Amino acid sequence: MSKGIVALCLIALLVFCPSTYAAWSFEAMGGSCAHLSLPLVIRQEGYPVIKHQATWGTHPFEEAPYYSWRVAKWEDDKSWEFELIHDKMILENPSGDIQHFEVSHGYNYLLVNRGCQRGQQVFRVGAGIILGHPETKVREKSHGDFRFLRGFYLSGIGAQAAAQHNIDIYGPVYGILEGKMTAAWARVPVAEGFADVPALAAHGLFGLGVRW
């Protein structure tokens, strides 16, 4: 896990190195998303493989709420960005062998984006890694670590495509309405095994930004 995070940080440093002619922005947003039902595959040592057509919920305003933040360096109408999307995946249709399954203290997207602004609209694509925090109970065996900054795993890869509309508020402060699609594949640990958790989701976000 540490090698992947170090590599991402090095990329971010190269992208966001200081520039005397660059503008910067910071944006923070809340919202929610809808996940497509996709197969959840669980493998545990000594047991048959579980293949379950999962229905996912987000519960965006409950514990560990859904959010996103983004910092960008602008040159004219183009940007390089680093974005965190704190997505949540909570299994809504557990089966007999799956008592509880969620990745809700983050199915976290850590993305490097390329953005392009056209008037009040911004369009972006991005790719990066998934940092997962699973809490599961499969075949009556629990897994999850809720201690501070524990229980996170470098889990997979993800990407996004997004469109944003900015609303002028006052000076450098502006409102944000954003829609995005994300796709990802992640492998997270469960007791005595692991689970493959693909994700395809549509997101709606709103928030505030500031540019300087």
Side-chain angles (χ1 to χ4, degrees):
M1 180 178 75
S2 59
K3 291 182 179 179
I5 294 174
V6 168
L8 188 68
C9 290
L10 289 174
I11 293 171
L13 285 173
L14 290 173
V15 169
F16 295 106
C17 58
S19 172
T20 56
Y21 55 91
W24 293 80
S25 64
F26 177 79
E27 299 169 341
M29 293 159 285
S32 187
C33 69
H35 290 92
L36 185 69
S37 176
L38 293 173
L40 168 66
V41 180
I42 301 175
R43 294 176 172 86
Q44 289 175 297
E45 186 176 355
Y47 292 96
V49 175
I50 298 173
K51 296 182 179 179
H52 182 64
Q53 191 69 26
T55 301
W56 300 104
T58 305
H59 302 187
F61 306 113
E62 296 181 6
E63 183 182 4
Y66 173 102
Y67 64 87
S68 176
W69 60 262
R70 180 169 53 233
V71 60
K73 183 182 78 171
W74 291 88
E75 296 179 8
D76 298 323
D77 59 356
K78 302 291 194 307
S79 66
W80 285 106
E81 306 171 344
F82 179 77
E83 181 171 4
L84 167 67
I85 307 170
H86 178 80
D87 195 2
K88 301 168 61 181
M89 297 182 68
I90 301 169
L91 186 66
E92 302 280 23
N93 62 333
S95 68
D97 286 330
I98 308 173
Q99 289 76 49
H100 182 77
F101 196 105
E102 61 179 82
V103 192
S104 63
H105 282 65
Y107 193 100
N108 297 294
Y109 292 76
L110 282 74
L111 305 174
V112 174
N113 303 329
R114 184 62 163 161
C116 177
Q117 184 163 9
R118 294 290 182 266
Q120 296 292 88
Q121 281 70 50
V122 180
F123 305 94
R124 64 177 50 85
V125 293
I129 64 172
I130 301 298
L131 195 65
H133 191 293
E135 302 98 40
T136 65
K137 187 176 184 180
V138 181
R139 295 187 173 105
E140 302 298 336
K141 299 178 180 182
S142 298
H143 180 277
D145 189 340
F146 292 93
R147 291 176 292 174
F148 183 64
L149 296 180
R150 300 290 186 90
F152 291 92
Y153 300 89
L154 180 58
S155 304
I157 57 174
Q160 73 157 331
Q164 168 183 338
H165 179 71
N166 293 337
I167 303 168
D168 293 333
I169 295 178
Y170 181 79
V173 179
Y174 53 94
I176 300 164
L177 296 174
E178 182 173 348
K180 65 172 81 224
M181 292 292 299
T182 57
W185 178 89
R187 174 169 288 179
V188 300
V190 300
E192 300 180 11
F194 60 86
D196 293 335
V197 190
L200 183 62
H203 304 244
L205 302 96
F206 60 93
L208 293 173
V210 61
R211 194 166 181 173
W212 67 94

